[in-house]
Amino acid sequence: MNNTQRYLPVIEACTASAVACETCANACLKTAAGSDRDICIALYHDCIDLCRLAVRLMQRQSALVDEICRLCAITCQAVAQQCNKYADLHCQECAQVCQRCVEQCEEITAGA
């Protein structure tokens, strides 16, 4: 299996995580601006940026894939933990998607 095929589940998980974080951030902005969710929103934006960068690095088979996947897993784990503090459906869905991304990224880095 070449790296492109190996990375496909991770690319999909990172893409889904970025979309879920964008959705969650927008929902939090509409419902709770100025609240403790400001911390969440900043974290979502970090996660979006790292997930998108991870996808780009995997697509071009960069030598830095393992490092970005480690950072992506750490950030997605932080988002999942933060989202689990709230009962909102968008937060719960984001937590699940981010947790899947953590698992996929850890599979990549386990072989490093």
Side-chain angles (χ1 to χ4, degrees):
M1 176 185 310
N2 66 33
N3 280 341
T4 302
Q5 291 171 325
R6 177 177 168 236
Y7 294 150
L8 190 56
V10 190
I11 289 170
E12 291 171 355
C14 286
T15 300
S17 184
V19 169
C21 284
E22 192 74 54
T23 301
C24 204
N26 289 334
C28 286
L29 278 171
K30 291 177 184 173
T31 61
S35 73
D36 62 335
R37 295 207 192 188
D38 289 346
I39 295 167
C40 299
I41 293 165
L43 187 56
Y44 298 147
H45 288 146
D46 290 346
C47 191
I48 292 163
D49 291 344
L50 285 169
C51 284
R52 288 180 178 160
L53 177 59
V55 167
R56 286 193 302 273
L57 293 181
M58 284 184 276
Q59 288 172 330
R60 65 178 175 239
Q61 299 183 28
S62 169
L64 299 174
V65 166
D66 291 337
E67 287 79 2
I68 194 63
C69 283
R70 280 188 194 92
L71 284 173
C72 193
I74 290 166
T75 307
C76 284
Q77 185 65 52
V79 168
Q81 289 173 345
Q82 191 68 29
C83 283
N84 278 325
K85 294 179 181 180
Y86 302 100
D88 302 301
L89 182 60
H90 61 86
C91 289
Q92 292 302 307
E93 289 174 350
C94 186
Q96 289 175 357
V97 171
C98 284
Q99 189 58 49
R100 180 174 169 265
C101 190
V102 169
E103 293 162 7
Q104 291 296 320
C105 285
E106 287 177 345
E107 282 188 30
I108 290 296
T109 61

